[in-house]
Amino acid sequence: MDLPRIFTLRESSHRIHNPFTPEKLATLGRALHLTPGTRALDLASGSGEMLCTWARDHGITGTGIDISTVGIAKARARAAELGVADQVDFVHGDASGHVADAPVDLAACIGATWIGGGAAGTVELLGRSLRAGGLMLIGEPYWRREPQDQETVEACHARDKADFLPLPDLIEQFGTLGYDVVEMVLADQDSWDRYRAAQWLNLRRWLDRNPDDELAAEVRAELTTAPGRYARYEREHLGWGVFALMAR
């Protein structure tokens, strides 16, 4: 049980596996007015940057669940580096269907709502671990500009235009699920650039070192087309944000 290699190669230098800069992640932590001892659950926690930095900066505790063995190793190393290994724990496992043993104060899934079959299913999943009055964090794409053709839809990593919503519709969807949106921090084009462009450098450096690897042809094909596709389609059409929710 692990992520395909191409995913870990593409984001090998990333600490945040979404179009969020460290500054935006820190802004979100401050905006939530986190207090020491806040108990968090982070499903699909990646390299653990959110839990580790918030443990350092706000005194939270928590557990991250992720399917990537590389991500779990990085998260544990980051916790040790920041001196918070006694506050946060990282478990290798499938976050789909995971429910905390006891209710938590903060339940999050940042950019991986596929674990619940989409935003609605992930809200329901996280709600099963959240105490009454707790905070839920959902990281989700949305359309900045609605695509006019299927080519644009697919270039933005969707199968259908309906896979993502415009920002007002996404916010209203959370309301129909019984939650108030109480905070949000949105990616901008610069943070998208930092996320995507760093992938290209990772791929190129890996390819230079591993020209005969079985993945070399796949990496070369991606590196040849990804920058232009991003600039033509994704950068203009796709937004992303983290939304803080509280049950009504």
Side-chain angles (χ1 to χ4, degrees):
M1 181 174 59
D2 211 335
L3 281 179
R5 281 180 66 210
I6 188 64
F7 287 90
T8 54
L9 295 179
R10 188 183 291 125
E11 301 192 10
S12 58
S13 71
H14 291 55
R15 283 181 172 165
I16 301 171
H17 301 279
N18 293 297
F20 240 29
T21 60
E23 293 76 18
K24 286 186 179 292
L25 186 62
T27 294
L28 178 63
R30 290 192 299 270
L32 298 177
H33 305 291
L34 299 170
T35 57
T38 295
R39 297 163 297 158
L41 173 68
D42 188 7
L43 298 185
S45 54
S47 296
E49 191 71 359
M50 185 183 78
L51 285 181
C52 289
T53 57
W54 289 2
R56 176 196 63 190
D57 297 340
H58 304 287
I60 74 166
T61 64
T63 299
I65 313 292
D66 201 274
I67 199 172
S68 170
T69 54
V70 171
I72 290 295
K74 285 186 173 183
R76 290 170 177 166
R78 184 65 165 155
E81 177 188 1
L82 297 184
V84 296
D86 60 336
Q87 295 170 243
V88 293
D89 180 38
F90 295 96
V91 178
H92 176 240
D94 186 356
S96 303
H98 182 90
V99 177
D101 294 335
V104 298
D105 305 304
L106 176 69
C109 177
I110 307 300
T113 56
W114 51 266
I115 68 169
T122 302
V123 166
E124 190 278 332
L125 172 61
L126 291 174
R128 293 161 60 191
S129 295
L130 192 63
R131 69 164 176 81
L135 278 169
M136 181 182 297
L137 299 180
I138 295 283
E140 185 72 352
Y142 59 87
W143 293 121
R144 291 182 66 241
R145 290 172 51 191
E146 292 195 51
Q148 300 304 307
D149 53 56
Q150 185 63 19
E151 181 179 5
T152 301
V153 169
E154 293 178 5
C156 292
H157 310 284
R159 294 166 298 178
D160 185 87
K161 179 180 174 180
D163 286 352
F164 306 138
L165 297 171
L167 180 59
D169 294 350
L170 176 59
I171 290 174
E172 289 171 357
Q173 181 190 39
F174 293 132
T176 66
L177 297 173
Y179 286 81
D180 290 320
V181 176
V182 297
E183 254 296 355
M184 68 180 188
V185 177
L186 304 181
D188 54 28
Q189 287 181 310
D190 181 66
S191 54
W192 268 107
D193 292 347
R194 300 279 46 77
Y195 175 56
R196 287 296 188 213
Q199 295 177 352
W200 311 332
L201 184 58
N202 291 338
L203 292 176
R204 175 56 194 263
R205 287 179 168 167
W206 180 89
L207 189 60
D208 288 347
R209 294 191 304 266
N210 301 276
D212 299 320
D213 190 274
E214 63 182 2
L215 286 181
E218 181 180 352
V219 170
R220 166 40 60 197
E222 179 172 335
L223 187 56
T224 299
T225 60
R229 186 176 64 248
Y230 166 74
R232 184 179 301 277
Y233 300 107
E234 189 174 2
R235 193 176 193 270
E236 298 301 320
H237 288 85
L238 198 58
W240 190 87
V242 180
F243 304 87
L245 315 177
M246 294 183 71
R248 291 177 177 171

